[in-house]
Every structure is written in structure tokens, then in C-alpha cells.
Amino acid sequence: MALNQTVEKSLVSIEKTPLHWPGRMSVAPMMDWTDRHCRFFHRLLTRQTLLYTEMVTTGALIHGDVARHLRFHAEEHPVALQLGGSEPADLAQCAKLAQDWGYDEVNLNCGCPSERVQRGAFGACLMNEKELVAEGVKAMRDVVDIPVTVKHRIGIDKSESYDFVRDFIGTVADAGCEVFVVHARNAWLKGLSPKENREIPPLRYDVVAQLKKDFPHLTIAINGGIADDETVLAQLAHVDGVMVGREAYHNPWWLATWDAQFYGAEPNTFISRESVEEEMVRYMEREAAAHGTHWSSIARHMLGLRHGMPGARHWRQVWSDHRMKHLPPHEVMQAARTKPERHSGAPVLVNI
């Protein structure tokens, strides 16, 4: 399909997407990546995109440090908490915590294939227990007013039965779930690592498009292997939203175009990579003063900011250099922006 035809179709889809759910574009929940520092960084780039936490297990919230897991910045809205768990009463208790802490959505993980998650009897293996998922969704909806959504795969192991995922959605939707984020790959529960599960099972976008046809009253978003505008626009011609994972993290400047490209907002002509970096330095200073957070645990999330730009390698090396850790972040920023070059045997510093 020609790109201009895809754009026309996507604009029609924009008009049809329910306005109450902000996930026309979203950044996927990613373990060890989408923490509150990462989300603050992404929010500097896009005001509209729905952001997700890392998956937080119900056990961690019920028996652990709630504030450590749920604390976030007001600037992050709209932001969703993703839960990992299967016991309806525990899910309800944690959904109530999510609402009390101010989250805009609670999302149940039915897609993670890791062995550790399987041992906890949640994640992708829950797709084999659709009635239990429905009970969990109902238990959460009974105690909160915010949307309860589900993220899942299109199948388990090597079975490509469409009926399996169709019946899963039908059963969970009957319990009151109106939004499904569908990773367009199967989850192979044995023999593949989580990384391999993101790459080896084939992408089947047509399955997600068919789900939207079969459930036109539901909000269906797609996830999996989406890394450029053309693919996003092609998918928005068929479904209600697109979730982007690794590409959003490794090439975050792409997010700076999303509000205008996919939400119809006016282009932000005031934003630049430099202004985002400077705001992140101020954030690092605030976090150090308030919580004792070292800047290096924040800077790791922005290492892709200059992806594809001249001097990006040097900039990235400076911000990730452990020898710089004793310096305040504003000095690291200056060092990152200054590239050493040699002329006539003498080193000079050149701004990049």
C-alpha cells in the first residue's frame, strides 16, 4: 500500500478511536527499563503518548515497599501500572492501590513468557486460563473506576489457532475488559528465552486485524516489531492503537514526532535534543537532592537520544563512563558535548 493511502486510512481510524483511552500510541512496559526515570524522560519528548510501568507483581506490592514500586511524577500522566499476578483478590487489592496512587489505568500482564513468571503462574500462561483472567478483571473492575486493560499474545507455543485468542478475548471482555493490547506473536513457554520470544515466533499482524473486525466494540491495540512511521500508520488503518517497545527505548527522539504525527497536535518547535538533555540534568539534580539517586541510574535511559547524529558515539560513551561518576551531571553534560580532536599534534576541544 502506498504511504499516502496508508495515511488517509489512518486518519479515518483516528476519528474512530475512543477518546477516553489515550493509547493511540504507547510505550511498552519493559522490565528494568521503563522505570519512573525513563518515563520522565519519555514525557519530555511526547505529551500525549500513554506510558507504562515495568511489570510489578502483586506480591511485591502486598508484601513489599509500596512507595518504591508506585511512586511516580505528576508529569508522567497519562501513565498505567502493569500488574503481574493471577489471584483475583490480590489483583483487586493492587488495582485499588494503583487508583489510590493516581494511575490512569491498570493493565494485567498475560503476555510475559519467562520461566520465572511461569513459576508464579501468571504472564503468558494465563492465556490457558481465560476464566481465571476474567475473574481477575472483574475483581479489579469491582473496586476501581480507572480502566482495567489486558496485554496478551496471540497464542501459546506453536499452535496458530485463531479460535484460541478469539475465545480468550471474548471471555475476558464479558467480564468487563474493553481494552486489549495484543502482542502479535505467540509465546513459546518452553525452549526460548524472553529475548528469543520477542524475535523467533513469527509476527502475524493479520490476526490482530481480524480480532478488531470480530470485536469492533472493543479497543484493540497492537504490539510487536513496530519501528517506523509507515508501519504505525499501516496498523492504525486496522486497529485503535500501537504500542512500541525496544525502538522507543533505543531511538527515543522518534517519540518527539508522535504528538503531531499520530495525535494531530501542533508540532513542538521548541524542543531539541539539547533542551531535553538539559532538562534531564536538572531532573538528575532534583532526584539526587530528594532521594539520593545517582545520576548514572537515570542517564542510562537517555543514551539513545542522539541516535544517528554526528558525535553520538562520543556523547553516549561519556554519559556511560564510570570514570565520570564522581562529577556532577552538568559537568558530564559539558564533557559529552565536547569532542576531543587532534590538529598538528595538539588536542583541541570541539563542540558537537
Short mmCIF file of all heavy atoms in Angstrom, two decimals, residues 188-228:
data_model
loop_
_atom_site.label_atom_id
_atom_site.label_comp_id
_atom_site.label_asym_id
_atom_site.label_seq_id
_atom_site.Cartn_x
_atom_site.Cartn_y
_atom_site.Cartn_z
N TRP A 188 6.16 -18.81 23.25
CA TRP A 188 6.61 -20.19 23.39
C TRP A 188 7.08 -20.37 24.83
O TRP A 188 8.08 -19.79 25.25
CB TRP A 188 7.73 -20.50 22.40
CG TRP A 188 7.30 -20.46 20.96
CD1 TRP A 188 6.08 -20.08 20.47
CD2 TRP A 188 8.10 -20.80 19.82
NE1 TRP A 188 6.06 -20.16 19.10
CE2 TRP A 188 7.30 -20.61 18.66
CE3 TRP A 188 9.40 -21.25 19.65
CZ2 TRP A 188 7.76 -20.84 17.37
CZ3 TRP A 188 9.88 -21.48 18.37
CH2 TRP A 188 9.07 -21.30 17.24
N LEU A 189 6.37 -21.17 25.58
CA LEU A 189 6.63 -21.27 27.02
C LEU A 189 7.83 -22.14 27.35
O LEU A 189 8.34 -22.08 28.47
CB LEU A 189 5.38 -21.80 27.72
CG LEU A 189 4.12 -20.94 27.57
CD1 LEU A 189 2.96 -21.54 28.35
CD2 LEU A 189 4.38 -19.51 28.01
N LYS A 190 8.30 -22.93 26.43
CA LYS A 190 9.47 -23.77 26.66
C LYS A 190 10.46 -23.62 25.51
O LYS A 190 10.07 -23.54 24.35
CB LYS A 190 9.07 -25.26 26.78
CG LYS A 190 8.10 -25.56 27.92
CD LYS A 190 8.73 -25.28 29.29
CE LYS A 190 7.73 -25.61 30.41
NZ LYS A 190 8.28 -25.26 31.74
N GLY A 191 11.73 -23.55 25.85
CA GLY A 191 12.77 -23.60 24.83
C GLY A 191 13.26 -22.27 24.31
O GLY A 191 14.25 -22.23 23.58
N LEU A 192 12.58 -21.16 24.66
CA LEU A 192 13.02 -19.86 24.20
C LEU A 192 13.18 -18.92 25.39
O LEU A 192 12.39 -18.96 26.33
CB LEU A 192 12.02 -19.24 23.23
CG LEU A 192 11.83 -19.89 21.86
CD1 LEU A 192 10.85 -19.07 21.03
CD2 LEU A 192 13.15 -20.05 21.12
N SER A 193 14.19 -18.08 25.32
CA SER A 193 14.37 -17.03 26.33
C SER A 193 13.36 -15.92 26.06
O SER A 193 12.78 -15.84 24.96
CB SER A 193 15.78 -16.47 26.26
OG SER A 193 15.95 -15.74 25.04
N PRO A 194 13.14 -15.00 27.03
CA PRO A 194 12.27 -13.85 26.75
C PRO A 194 12.72 -13.07 25.52
O PRO A 194 11.89 -12.62 24.73
CB PRO A 194 12.37 -13.03 28.03
CG PRO A 194 12.62 -14.05 29.10
CD PRO A 194 13.53 -15.07 28.45
N LYS A 195 14.03 -12.90 25.35
CA LYS A 195 14.54 -12.18 24.18
C LYS A 195 14.18 -12.93 22.90
O LYS A 195 13.70 -12.33 21.93
CB LYS A 195 16.05 -12.00 24.27
CG LYS A 195 16.67 -11.26 23.08
CD LYS A 195 18.16 -11.07 23.26
CE LYS A 195 18.76 -10.25 22.12
NZ LYS A 195 18.63 -10.90 20.81
N GLU A 196 14.38 -14.24 22.89
CA GLU A 196 14.05 -15.04 21.70
C GLU A 196 12.54 -15.02 21.44
O GLU A 196 12.11 -15.06 20.29
CB GLU A 196 14.54 -16.46 21.88
CG GLU A 196 16.06 -16.58 21.85
CD GLU A 196 16.55 -17.96 22.27
OE1 GLU A 196 15.86 -18.60 23.10
OE2 GLU A 196 17.62 -18.38 21.78
N ASN A 197 11.75 -14.92 22.50
CA ASN A 197 10.30 -14.85 22.34
C ASN A 197 9.85 -13.54 21.72
O ASN A 197 8.71 -13.43 21.26
CB ASN A 197 9.61 -15.04 23.69
CG ASN A 197 8.98 -16.42 23.83
OD1 ASN A 197 8.06 -16.75 23.11
ND2 ASN A 197 9.51 -17.23 24.74
N ARG A 198 10.72 -12.55 21.71
CA ARG A 198 10.40 -11.29 21.01
C ARG A 198 10.86 -11.31 19.56
O ARG A 198 10.61 -10.35 18.83
CB ARG A 198 11.06 -10.11 21.74
CG ARG A 198 10.53 -9.86 23.14
CD ARG A 198 11.05 -8.53 23.68
NE ARG A 198 12.49 -8.48 23.79
CZ ARG A 198 13.17 -8.83 24.89
NH1 ARG A 198 12.54 -9.29 25.95
NH2 ARG A 198 14.49 -8.74 24.92
N GLU A 199 11.56 -12.38 19.15
CA GLU A 199 12.16 -12.37 17.83
C GLU A 199 11.82 -13.59 16.98
O GLU A 199 11.67 -13.47 15.76
CB GLU A 199 13.70 -12.27 17.98
CG GLU A 199 14.16 -11.00 18.68
CD GLU A 199 15.64 -11.04 19.03
OE1 GLU A 199 16.25 -12.14 18.90
OE2 GLU A 199 16.19 -10.00 19.44
N ILE A 200 11.72 -14.77 17.60
CA ILE A 200 11.61 -16.01 16.82
C ILE A 200 10.17 -16.34 16.42
O ILE A 200 9.91 -16.60 15.23
CB ILE A 200 12.27 -17.18 17.57
CG1 ILE A 200 13.79 -16.95 17.62
CG2 ILE A 200 11.95 -18.51 16.89
CD1 ILE A 200 14.55 -18.00 18.40
N PRO A 201 9.20 -16.36 17.34
CA PRO A 201 7.83 -16.62 16.87
C PRO A 201 7.42 -15.58 15.83
O PRO A 201 7.64 -14.38 16.03
CB PRO A 201 7.00 -16.49 18.15
CG PRO A 201 7.95 -16.77 19.27
CD PRO A 201 9.25 -16.19 18.81
N PRO A 202 6.87 -16.00 14.71
CA PRO A 202 6.59 -15.05 13.63
C PRO A 202 5.52 -14.03 14.01
O PRO A 202 4.57 -14.33 14.74
CB PRO A 202 6.11 -15.94 12.49
CG PRO A 202 5.64 -17.20 13.16
CD PRO A 202 6.50 -17.38 14.36
N LEU A 203 5.70 -12.82 13.51
CA LEU A 203 4.69 -11.78 13.66
C LEU A 203 3.51 -12.10 12.75
O LEU A 203 3.70 -12.45 11.58
CB LEU A 203 5.26 -10.41 13.30
CG LEU A 203 6.17 -9.76 14.34
CD1 LEU A 203 6.95 -8.61 13.70
CD2 LEU A 203 5.38 -9.26 15.53
N ARG A 204 2.29 -11.96 13.29
CA ARG A 204 1.09 -12.18 12.49
C ARG A 204 0.12 -11.03 12.74
O ARG A 204 -0.83 -11.13 13.51
CB ARG A 204 0.47 -13.53 12.84
CG ARG A 204 1.34 -14.72 12.41
CD ARG A 204 0.61 -16.04 12.59
NE ARG A 204 0.47 -16.38 14.00
CZ ARG A 204 -0.55 -17.07 14.50
NH1 ARG A 204 -1.56 -17.44 13.71
NH2 ARG A 204 -0.59 -17.36 15.79
N TYR A 205 0.41 -9.93 12.08
CA TYR A 205 -0.43 -8.73 12.25
C TYR A 205 -1.86 -8.98 11.80
O TYR A 205 -2.79 -8.35 12.30
CB TYR A 205 0.17 -7.56 11.47
CG TYR A 205 1.49 -7.05 11.98
CD1 TYR A 205 2.40 -6.45 11.11
CD2 TYR A 205 1.84 -7.12 13.32
CE1 TYR A 205 3.61 -5.95 11.56
CE2 TYR A 205 3.05 -6.63 13.78
CZ TYR A 205 3.94 -6.04 12.89
OH TYR A 205 5.13 -5.55 13.35
N ASP A 206 -2.03 -9.88 10.83
CA ASP A 206 -3.38 -10.13 10.31
C ASP A 206 -4.31 -10.69 11.39
O ASP A 206 -5.52 -10.45 11.34
CB ASP A 206 -3.30 -11.09 9.12
CG ASP A 206 -2.67 -12.44 9.50
OD1 ASP A 206 -1.53 -12.43 10.00
OD2 ASP A 206 -3.31 -13.48 9.31
N VAL A 207 -3.75 -11.40 12.35
CA VAL A 207 -4.58 -11.95 13.43
C VAL A 207 -5.17 -10.82 14.27
O VAL A 207 -6.35 -10.84 14.64
CB VAL A 207 -3.74 -12.89 14.32
CG1 VAL A 207 -4.54 -13.32 15.56
CG2 VAL A 207 -3.30 -14.12 13.52
N VAL A 208 -4.36 -9.80 14.54
CA VAL A 208 -4.84 -8.68 15.36
C VAL A 208 -5.88 -7.88 14.59
O VAL A 208 -6.90 -7.45 15.15
CB VAL A 208 -3.66 -7.78 15.79
CG1 VAL A 208 -4.14 -6.71 16.77
CG2 VAL A 208 -2.55 -8.62 16.44
N ALA A 209 -5.66 -7.70 13.29
CA ALA A 209 -6.65 -7.00 12.47
C ALA A 209 -7.98 -7.77 12.46
O ALA A 209 -9.06 -7.16 12.52
CB ALA A 209 -6.12 -6.83 11.05
N GLN A 210 -7.91 -9.09 12.42
CA GLN A 210 -9.13 -9.89 12.44
C GLN A 210 -9.84 -9.77 13.78
O GLN A 210 -11.08 -9.74 13.84
CB GLN A 210 -8.81 -11.35 12.14
CG GLN A 210 -10.04 -12.24 12.00
CD GLN A 210 -10.94 -11.80 10.85
OE1 GLN A 210 -10.47 -11.56 9.73
NE2 GLN A 210 -12.25 -11.66 11.12
N LEU A 211 -9.08 -9.69 14.87
CA LEU A 211 -9.69 -9.52 16.19
C LEU A 211 -10.49 -8.21 16.24
O LEU A 211 -11.59 -8.18 16.80
CB LEU A 211 -8.61 -9.52 17.27
CG LEU A 211 -7.96 -10.87 17.57
CD1 LEU A 211 -6.72 -10.68 18.45
CD2 LEU A 211 -8.95 -11.82 18.22
N LYS A 212 -9.95 -7.16 15.65
CA LYS A 212 -10.67 -5.89 15.63
C LYS A 212 -11.96 -6.02 14.81
O LYS A 212 -13.01 -5.46 15.19
CB LYS A 212 -9.79 -4.77 15.08
CG LYS A 212 -10.48 -3.41 15.02
CD LYS A 212 -10.95 -2.95 16.41
CE LYS A 212 -11.73 -1.66 16.32
NZ LYS A 212 -12.26 -1.23 17.63
N LYS A 213 -11.90 -6.76 13.73
CA LYS A 213 -13.12 -6.98 12.93
C LYS A 213 -14.17 -7.76 13.71
O LYS A 213 -15.36 -7.47 13.63
CB LYS A 213 -12.77 -7.71 11.63
CG LYS A 213 -11.98 -6.89 10.63
CD LYS A 213 -11.66 -7.71 9.39
CE LYS A 213 -10.85 -6.91 8.38
NZ LYS A 213 -10.48 -7.72 7.19
N ASP A 214 -13.71 -8.75 14.46
CA ASP A 214 -14.63 -9.59 15.20
C ASP A 214 -15.15 -8.93 16.48
O ASP A 214 -16.20 -9.31 16.99
CB ASP A 214 -13.96 -10.92 15.56
CG ASP A 214 -13.78 -11.82 14.35
OD1 ASP A 214 -14.40 -11.53 13.30
OD2 ASP A 214 -13.01 -12.80 14.44
N PHE A 215 -14.39 -7.96 17.01
CA PHE A 215 -14.79 -7.25 18.22
C PHE A 215 -14.76 -5.74 17.98
O PHE A 215 -13.96 -5.02 18.60
CB PHE A 215 -13.88 -7.62 19.39
CG PHE A 215 -13.89 -9.07 19.76
CD1 PHE A 215 -12.89 -9.93 19.30
CD2 PHE A 215 -14.89 -9.59 20.57
CE1 PHE A 215 -12.89 -11.27 19.64
CE2 PHE A 215 -14.90 -10.94 20.93
CZ PHE A 215 -13.90 -11.79 20.45
N PRO A 216 -15.56 -5.24 17.07
CA PRO A 216 -15.48 -3.81 16.71
C PRO A 216 -15.80 -2.88 17.88
O PRO A 216 -15.39 -1.72 17.87
CB PRO A 216 -16.50 -3.67 15.58
CG PRO A 216 -17.47 -4.80 15.79
CD PRO A 216 -16.64 -5.93 16.33
N HIS A 217 -16.52 -3.37 18.87
CA HIS A 217 -16.90 -2.54 20.03
C HIS A 217 -15.78 -2.43 21.05
O HIS A 217 -15.85 -1.61 21.97
CB HIS A 217 -18.13 -3.14 20.70
CG HIS A 217 -17.93 -4.55 21.18
ND1 HIS A 217 -17.76 -5.61 20.31
CD2 HIS A 217 -17.85 -5.07 22.44
CE1 HIS A 217 -17.60 -6.72 21.02
NE2 HIS A 217 -17.65 -6.42 22.30
N LEU A 218 -14.74 -3.26 20.91
CA LEU A 218 -13.61 -3.21 21.84
C LEU A 218 -12.50 -2.34 21.27
O LEU A 218 -12.41 -2.11 20.06
CB LEU A 218 -13.07 -4.62 22.08
CG LEU A 218 -14.02 -5.62 22.73
CD1 LEU A 218 -13.34 -6.98 22.85
CD2 LEU A 218 -14.49 -5.14 24.10
N THR A 219 -11.64 -1.86 22.16
CA THR A 219 -10.45 -1.12 21.76
C THR A 219 -9.30 -2.11 21.68
O THR A 219 -8.95 -2.75 22.67
CB THR A 219 -10.12 0.00 22.77
OG1 THR A 219 -11.22 0.92 22.81
CG2 THR A 219 -8.86 0.74 22.37
N ILE A 220 -8.72 -2.24 20.48
CA ILE A 220 -7.65 -3.20 20.23
C ILE A 220 -6.40 -2.44 19.80
O ILE A 220 -6.42 -1.69 18.83
CB ILE A 220 -8.04 -4.21 19.12
CG1 ILE A 220 -9.36 -4.92 19.45
CG2 ILE A 220 -6.91 -5.20 18.89
CD1 ILE A 220 -9.29 -5.90 20.58
N ALA A 221 -5.32 -2.64 20.54
CA ALA A 221 -4.03 -2.06 20.18
C ALA A 221 -3.07 -3.19 19.83
O ALA A 221 -3.22 -4.32 20.32
CB ALA A 221 -3.48 -1.22 21.32
N ILE A 222 -2.08 -2.89 19.01
CA ILE A 222 -1.15 -3.90 18.53
C ILE A 222 0.26 -3.60 19.03
O ILE A 222 0.64 -2.43 19.19
CB ILE A 222 -1.17 -4.00 16.99
CG1 ILE A 222 -0.45 -5.26 16.52
CG2 ILE A 222 -0.60 -2.75 16.34
CD1 ILE A 222 -0.66 -5.57 15.04
N ASN A 223 1.03 -4.64 19.27
CA ASN A 223 2.41 -4.54 19.73
C ASN A 223 3.23 -5.61 19.01
O ASN A 223 2.71 -6.66 18.67
CB ASN A 223 2.44 -4.74 21.26
CG ASN A 223 3.83 -4.88 21.84
OD1 ASN A 223 4.11 -5.81 22.59
ND2 ASN A 223 4.69 -3.95 21.52
N GLY A 224 4.51 -5.32 18.79
CA GLY A 224 5.40 -6.32 18.24
C GLY A 224 6.09 -5.90 16.95
O GLY A 224 5.44 -5.80 15.92
N GLY A 225 7.39 -5.63 17.02
CA GLY A 225 8.19 -5.39 15.82
C GLY A 225 7.92 -4.11 15.09
O GLY A 225 8.29 -3.96 13.92
N ILE A 226 7.29 -3.13 15.73
CA ILE A 226 6.92 -1.88 15.04
C ILE A 226 8.01 -0.84 15.30
O ILE A 226 8.30 -0.51 16.44
CB ILE A 226 5.55 -1.39 15.52
CG1 ILE A 226 4.49 -2.43 15.14
CG2 ILE A 226 5.21 -0.03 14.92
CD1 ILE A 226 3.13 -2.20 15.75
N ALA A 227 8.59 -0.31 14.21
CA ALA A 227 9.78 0.52 14.39
C ALA A 227 9.86 1.72 13.45
O ALA A 227 10.91 2.35 13.36
CB ALA A 227 11.04 -0.35 14.20
N ASP A 228 8.77 2.07 12.76
CA ASP A 228 8.84 3.24 11.88
C ASP A 228 7.43 3.77 11.65
O ASP A 228 6.44 3.09 11.90
CB ASP A 228 9.51 2.90 10.54
CG ASP A 228 8.84 1.75 9.81
OD1 ASP A 228 7.65 1.89 9.43
OD2 ASP A 228 9.48 0.69 9.64
#
